[in-house]
Structure formats: structure tokens, C-alpha cells
Amino acid sequence: METITQGSKVEKDSLPLKRIDHMELWVGNAKQAAYFYRNALGMDLVAYSGPETGVRERASYVLQRDKVRLVLSTPIRSEHPMADHIHRHGDGVHAIALEVDDARHSFKVTTERGAQPVQAPAEVEGVVTASIAMYGDTVLTFVERGDYAGPFLPGYEARDVKGPDFGIAAIDHIVGNVELGKMNHWVDFFARVMGFSQLIHFDDADISTEYSALMSKVMQDGTGKIKFPINEPADGRRKSQIEEYLEFYNGPGVQHIALLTGDIIKTVTAMRDAGMEFLKVPGAYYDEAQKRVGEVKEDFNAIRQLGILVDRDDEGYLLQIFTKPVEDRPTVFYEVIQRRGSRGFGKGNFKALFEAIEREQAKRGNL
Ligand code: FE2
């Protein structure tokens, strides 16, 4: 692993980002997906837009818990462009929305630096949105909220359907899978267009198993709060998990969304009870992990029983666990992560984790 603190050449604060505003997933059946997300991730349904609110062509459900906001949208008619996206990719992430103070400026600056425009700035009730293209069919949207006080965005009505609270608090990072040879293109996009800098680089030596390999680079914004790791497949003896994703997603896109919690044992216990399926590592992992990581505040038996992974670096440690894909296509999945000082990504877990992923791949006949 190489830790890189190289800053981007873009002047500081030329594109200040406030936070991840929301992520929008385009799904085959948003009504049912909203039920799953509400009950399996522990979120409230807070807003809705669809035929009943005067929107004729789609339905969207907004789920929220603390700083995590997910929008699930589906087309009502098959000629809608969303239907084509779902046909090609299955359920997946269409947009990552970042809150900014000035969406027109963000759009102008990024397109001047070479970003491909998707939606020019548009203002409704004082809220300005604009979008640029990211990897594959994924878009990056700038949202300027001004003084807007509605439940989500103009066109949405408030809903108050409570879900359980499992303690998810924020989106820690959003990982994208890109095609072989495209890593540096997207690293350059985040550096040159977005003004991000590269935090870490993992290569084959860190991430190869007997069968497959991948490369990963982590890009983060100036505040260090918004992190976009990018994976590229590397040559291995068998089909890598990244290649499996690219095949079934029909191209690059978001691979996983990491949800931050302050109490991973509580969060994962509740998600498991609610039916969320997690990857399992063999028991031998824990004999080694306890030695490798040393003293942790959490109950190690609970960590072992739940299948939570642990890793330590010079700043502290982290606990993490990965769900199985939440669609029938082996594509998008979620991570639950708790940080105890560490700002890393669980490098010490890569081998055990990727072997667990490969066991699932083999069951699907894709290894
Ligand atoms: Fe992750």
C-alpha cells in the first residue's frame, strides 16, 4: 500500500462541497424496494413523489436515517429512460448528489474542466440542481438548497412512515467499479475536475487472492469527508469480483455504499434480525484477527458471532462487514463500518474478504 498525500493542482476551494446530499437508485419496483430499505437498513420514509402528487411518469420514495438519504425511483411507463437503465443495469445507483452553495458555479467549473454535462442548472422554488457524467451511466448531481424548507426537493410531499432505527448515521464512502485500464481516467476526473486528492492506492500485492486481483485508489475531497474509492480489475487466474460486477451491471457503476455507525454490533444484529444477508468469513479469521488487532472496546465474541471484520492501523482501528448483493444480479451491496480512529478501508481484511466474495461467486457459477 502506498499512502499518497499529493494534492490536486486545482486551487483550493474552487469547488467547495458541503456533504453527500443523497443517492438516487433506479429500481424495478420502488414501492417494494422502499419497504426493504426501510426495514432492513432501518430508515424512515420521509417524502414521496409520483402520480398522486402530480408526477405522471415515475414514482420516488425518499428514505432517511440521520445523514443517510436514499431515493428509490421507478418508471411508471416502459418508454421512460429509467426503464432502459433498469433493463441494462438492473437495480442500481443512478445519481450521487452533493450539496453545494452554488450549483451553477459547480456546473460551470466542472464542465470547463472537461466534465460531460448531463443536466444544465435548473431552478425550481429556489432549489438549483445540475448534473455531470461520472463512470458508466452514473451521474453526479449538484444540489443548491438555498432556504428551501420542504421535505426533500420541490415536487415531493412529506411522508411519515417510521422504520426501525438501527443506528446508521452517514455515508462513509461510495465505491465505483470501472473497466480494466480506466482507473487513471477516473482518478484524473476526480483530481482535475472535482479538485479531489488521492488518499491511498492499493495494488495487487495488497489485494490478490489465489484467483483474482484488483486495484483500488481512494479519492477524497478537500474536507476529507467525501470519499470515492475506485476499483479496477487486475489480471488473475479466474474472473475477478470486479469483472463479475462489470458483466452483470453491463459496465461501470457503484459497487458498494458504506454506511457509518457508532455501534456496529447493534446495527448489524438488528439488520441480521431484519433479514439482511452478510458475507461470512471462516472462524480461523478470528484467531488471526484477535492477534493482529489486539485490544478492542467491543465484545470480541459478538464480533465473531456476527461475522464482523476488524483491522488496525497507526491511527486506530475499524470494524466493518459487507452484505451480499441486495439484488439478484451480483452487483450493488452495502458495507457497515464503525471507525475507532482509523481512517483506512480495512486493508488487513482484504484477503479474507475477497475469498469470502469468491466463495459466493463460485456458488453463482461465475468464478
Ligand atoms: Fe468499502
Short mmCIF file of all heavy atoms in Angstrom, two decimals, residues 16-17 27 55-56 72 88 99 103 111 150 156-157 192 202 261 266-267 275 280 284 287 293 295 297 306 312 345-346:
data_model
loop_
_atom_site.label_atom_id
_atom_site.label_comp_id
_atom_site.label_asym_id
_atom_site.label_seq_id
_atom_site.Cartn_x
_atom_site.Cartn_y
_atom_site.Cartn_z
N PRO A 16 -16.14 24.01 -3.50
CA PRO A 16 -16.42 23.54 -2.14
C PRO A 16 -17.69 22.67 -2.10
O PRO A 16 -18.72 23.03 -2.67
CB PRO A 16 -16.61 24.83 -1.34
CG PRO A 16 -16.91 25.89 -2.34
CD PRO A 16 -16.38 25.44 -3.66
N LEU A 17 -17.59 21.52 -1.44
CA LEU A 17 -18.72 20.60 -1.33
C LEU A 17 -19.14 20.56 0.13
O LEU A 17 -18.31 20.51 1.03
CB LEU A 17 -18.31 19.20 -1.80
CG LEU A 17 -17.73 19.13 -3.22
CD1 LEU A 17 -17.12 17.76 -3.47
CD2 LEU A 17 -18.81 19.44 -4.25
N VAL A 27 -34.76 1.63 -9.66
CA VAL A 27 -35.08 0.23 -9.35
C VAL A 27 -36.34 -0.22 -10.09
O VAL A 27 -37.16 0.60 -10.51
CB VAL A 27 -35.27 0.05 -7.82
CG1 VAL A 27 -34.00 0.43 -7.07
CG2 VAL A 27 -36.45 0.86 -7.29
N VAL A 55 -46.90 13.83 -10.51
CA VAL A 55 -45.80 13.40 -11.38
C VAL A 55 -46.28 12.18 -12.14
O VAL A 55 -46.61 11.15 -11.55
CB VAL A 55 -44.54 13.08 -10.54
CG1 VAL A 55 -43.44 12.50 -11.41
CG2 VAL A 55 -44.04 14.33 -9.84
N ARG A 56 -46.36 12.28 -13.46
CA ARG A 56 -47.04 11.25 -14.23
C ARG A 56 -46.17 10.08 -14.61
O ARG A 56 -46.66 8.99 -14.89
CB ARG A 56 -47.61 11.88 -15.53
CG ARG A 56 -48.50 13.08 -15.30
CD ARG A 56 -49.74 12.74 -14.50
NE ARG A 56 -50.57 11.73 -15.18
CZ ARG A 56 -51.59 11.11 -14.63
NH1 ARG A 56 -51.90 11.36 -13.37
NH2 ARG A 56 -52.30 10.23 -15.30
N LEU A 72 -35.39 6.09 -3.94
CA LEU A 72 -35.65 4.93 -4.79
C LEU A 72 -36.69 5.33 -5.81
O LEU A 72 -37.81 5.71 -5.44
CB LEU A 72 -36.16 3.77 -3.93
CG LEU A 72 -35.19 3.36 -2.82
CD1 LEU A 72 -35.89 2.57 -1.74
CD2 LEU A 72 -34.02 2.57 -3.39
N ARG A 88 -30.78 -2.41 -18.64
CA ARG A 88 -29.34 -2.64 -18.82
C ARG A 88 -28.63 -3.04 -17.52
O ARG A 88 -27.81 -3.95 -17.51
CB ARG A 88 -28.66 -1.36 -19.35
CG ARG A 88 -28.93 -1.08 -20.82
CD ARG A 88 -28.43 0.31 -21.24
NE ARG A 88 -27.07 0.58 -20.78
CZ ARG A 88 -25.97 0.07 -21.34
NH1 ARG A 88 -26.07 -0.76 -22.36
NH2 ARG A 88 -24.79 0.40 -20.87
N GLU A 99 -24.34 18.28 -1.96
CA GLU A 99 -24.88 19.60 -1.66
C GLU A 99 -23.78 20.64 -1.80
O GLU A 99 -22.65 20.44 -1.32
CB GLU A 99 -25.48 19.67 -0.25
CG GLU A 99 -26.33 20.93 -0.10
CD GLU A 99 -26.83 21.21 1.30
OE1 GLU A 99 -26.69 20.35 2.20
OE2 GLU A 99 -27.36 22.32 1.50
N ALA A 103 -24.81 25.78 -7.21
CA ALA A 103 -24.84 24.68 -8.20
C ALA A 103 -24.46 25.17 -9.60
O ALA A 103 -23.85 24.44 -10.37
CB ALA A 103 -26.22 24.03 -8.22
N THR A 111 -17.64 21.58 -15.83
CA THR A 111 -17.73 21.38 -17.28
C THR A 111 -16.58 22.10 -18.00
O THR A 111 -16.06 21.61 -18.99
CB THR A 111 -19.10 21.82 -17.85
OG1 THR A 111 -19.39 23.14 -17.40
CG2 THR A 111 -20.21 20.87 -17.40
N GLY A 150 -38.73 22.38 2.32
CA GLY A 150 -39.62 21.25 2.08
C GLY A 150 -39.03 19.94 2.57
O GLY A 150 -37.89 19.90 3.05
N TYR A 156 -41.88 16.96 -4.20
CA TYR A 156 -42.06 15.87 -3.23
C TYR A 156 -43.00 16.31 -2.12
O TYR A 156 -42.99 17.46 -1.70
CB TYR A 156 -40.71 15.46 -2.62
CG TYR A 156 -39.86 14.63 -3.55
CD1 TYR A 156 -39.14 15.23 -4.58
CD2 TYR A 156 -39.79 13.25 -3.41
CE1 TYR A 156 -38.36 14.48 -5.45
CE2 TYR A 156 -39.01 12.48 -4.27
CZ TYR A 156 -38.31 13.10 -5.29
OH TYR A 156 -37.55 12.35 -6.14
N GLU A 157 -43.80 15.35 -1.64
CA GLU A 157 -44.66 15.59 -0.48
C GLU A 157 -44.10 14.84 0.70
O GLU A 157 -43.50 13.76 0.54
CB GLU A 157 -46.07 15.06 -0.76
CG GLU A 157 -46.87 15.94 -1.71
CD GLU A 157 -48.29 15.41 -1.92
OE1 GLU A 157 -48.65 14.36 -1.33
OE2 GLU A 157 -49.01 16.06 -2.70
N ARG A 192 -8.75 16.40 -11.35
CA ARG A 192 -8.72 17.59 -12.20
C ARG A 192 -10.07 18.31 -12.23
O ARG A 192 -10.14 19.53 -12.17
CB ARG A 192 -8.32 17.15 -13.61
CG ARG A 192 -7.80 18.24 -14.52
CD ARG A 192 -7.27 17.66 -15.81
NE ARG A 192 -8.11 16.56 -16.31
CZ ARG A 192 -9.26 16.73 -16.97
NH1 ARG A 192 -9.71 17.93 -17.24
NH2 ARG A 192 -9.98 15.70 -17.38
N PHE A 202 -4.15 0.95 -3.38
CA PHE A 202 -3.91 -0.46 -3.08
C PHE A 202 -3.65 -1.16 -4.40
O PHE A 202 -4.32 -0.90 -5.40
CB PHE A 202 -5.15 -1.11 -2.44
CG PHE A 202 -5.59 -0.44 -1.19
CD1 PHE A 202 -6.73 0.37 -1.18
CD2 PHE A 202 -4.89 -0.61 0.00
CE1 PHE A 202 -7.16 0.98 -0.01
CE2 PHE A 202 -5.32 0.00 1.17
CZ PHE A 202 -6.45 0.80 1.16
N THR A 261 -21.70 3.70 11.29
CA THR A 261 -22.48 3.56 12.52
C THR A 261 -21.57 3.82 13.71
O THR A 261 -20.35 3.63 13.63
CB THR A 261 -23.11 2.15 12.64
OG1 THR A 261 -23.73 2.01 13.92
CG2 THR A 261 -22.06 1.04 12.50
N LYS A 266 -24.74 -3.35 17.48
CA LYS A 266 -26.19 -3.09 17.50
C LYS A 266 -26.75 -3.04 16.07
O LYS A 266 -27.78 -3.66 15.77
CB LYS A 266 -26.44 -1.74 18.21
CG LYS A 266 -27.89 -1.29 18.17
CD LYS A 266 -28.04 0.16 18.64
CE LYS A 266 -29.07 0.88 17.77
NZ LYS A 266 -29.25 2.28 18.13
N THR A 267 -26.07 -2.30 15.19
CA THR A 267 -26.58 -2.13 13.83
C THR A 267 -26.66 -3.46 13.08
O THR A 267 -27.68 -3.78 12.47
CB THR A 267 -25.67 -1.14 13.04
OG1 THR A 267 -25.63 0.09 13.75
CG2 THR A 267 -26.17 -0.90 11.64
N GLY A 275 -33.36 -9.60 8.35
CA GLY A 275 -33.26 -10.41 7.13
C GLY A 275 -32.14 -10.02 6.18
O GLY A 275 -32.01 -10.61 5.11
N LYS A 280 -19.80 -14.17 4.99
CA LYS A 280 -19.22 -14.85 6.15
C LYS A 280 -17.75 -15.15 5.91
O LYS A 280 -17.38 -15.55 4.83
CB LYS A 280 -19.94 -16.19 6.36
CG LYS A 280 -21.27 -16.08 7.05
CD LYS A 280 -21.60 -17.42 7.73
CE LYS A 280 -22.86 -17.30 8.58
NZ LYS A 280 -24.08 -17.28 7.75
N ALA A 284 -11.42 -19.32 11.43
CA ALA A 284 -9.97 -19.15 11.56
C ALA A 284 -9.55 -17.69 11.44
O ALA A 284 -8.55 -17.26 12.01
CB ALA A 284 -9.25 -19.98 10.48
N ASP A 287 -9.14 -16.10 14.94
CA ASP A 287 -7.96 -16.45 15.74
C ASP A 287 -6.80 -15.54 15.33
O ASP A 287 -6.06 -15.03 16.16
CB ASP A 287 -7.59 -17.92 15.50
CG ASP A 287 -8.78 -18.83 15.81
OD1 ASP A 287 -9.60 -18.43 16.68
OD2 ASP A 287 -8.91 -19.90 15.18
N VAL A 293 -5.04 -7.47 15.66
CA VAL A 293 -5.66 -6.20 16.01
C VAL A 293 -5.47 -5.85 17.49
O VAL A 293 -5.44 -4.68 17.86
CB VAL A 293 -7.15 -6.21 15.61
CG1 VAL A 293 -7.84 -4.95 16.06
CG2 VAL A 293 -7.28 -6.38 14.11
N GLU A 295 -6.26 -5.40 21.49
CA GLU A 295 -7.39 -4.99 22.34
C GLU A 295 -8.39 -4.10 21.56
O GLU A 295 -8.02 -3.11 20.94
CB GLU A 295 -6.78 -4.21 23.50
CG GLU A 295 -7.58 -4.06 24.74
CD GLU A 295 -7.95 -5.38 25.43
OE1 GLU A 295 -7.35 -6.45 25.17
OE2 GLU A 295 -8.87 -5.31 26.25
N LYS A 297 -12.53 -2.28 22.07
CA LYS A 297 -13.54 -1.96 23.09
C LYS A 297 -14.75 -2.88 23.00
O LYS A 297 -15.45 -3.09 23.97
CB LYS A 297 -14.01 -0.51 22.92
CG LYS A 297 -12.94 0.52 23.28
CD LYS A 297 -13.55 1.92 23.36
CE LYS A 297 -12.51 2.95 23.75
NZ LYS A 297 -12.30 3.96 22.71
N LEU A 306 -21.19 -12.36 14.80
CA LEU A 306 -21.87 -11.60 13.74
C LEU A 306 -21.09 -11.65 12.42
O LEU A 306 -21.63 -11.33 11.38
CB LEU A 306 -22.06 -10.15 14.18
CG LEU A 306 -23.08 -9.94 15.30
CD1 LEU A 306 -22.95 -8.54 15.89
CD2 LEU A 306 -24.50 -10.18 14.79
N ARG A 312 -6.59 -2.79 12.10
CA ARG A 312 -5.95 -1.70 12.83
C ARG A 312 -4.86 -1.07 11.98
O ARG A 312 -4.21 -1.74 11.19
CB ARG A 312 -5.35 -2.24 14.14
CG ARG A 312 -4.74 -1.15 15.03
CD ARG A 312 -4.10 -1.72 16.28
NE ARG A 312 -5.03 -2.20 17.29
CZ ARG A 312 -5.70 -1.42 18.15
NH1 ARG A 312 -5.56 -0.10 18.12
NH2 ARG A 312 -6.51 -1.94 19.05
N PHE A 345 -9.43 1.61 5.12
CA PHE A 345 -10.50 0.87 4.46
C PHE A 345 -10.45 -0.62 4.76
O PHE A 345 -11.08 -1.41 4.08
CB PHE A 345 -10.47 1.15 2.95
CG PHE A 345 -10.82 2.58 2.66
CD1 PHE A 345 -9.84 3.56 2.70
CD2 PHE A 345 -12.13 2.96 2.44
CE1 PHE A 345 -10.16 4.90 2.51
CE2 PHE A 345 -12.46 4.29 2.25
CZ PHE A 345 -11.48 5.26 2.27
N GLY A 346 -9.67 -1.01 5.76
CA GLY A 346 -9.64 -2.42 6.17
C GLY A 346 -8.74 -3.27 5.31
O GLY A 346 -9.07 -4.40 4.98
#
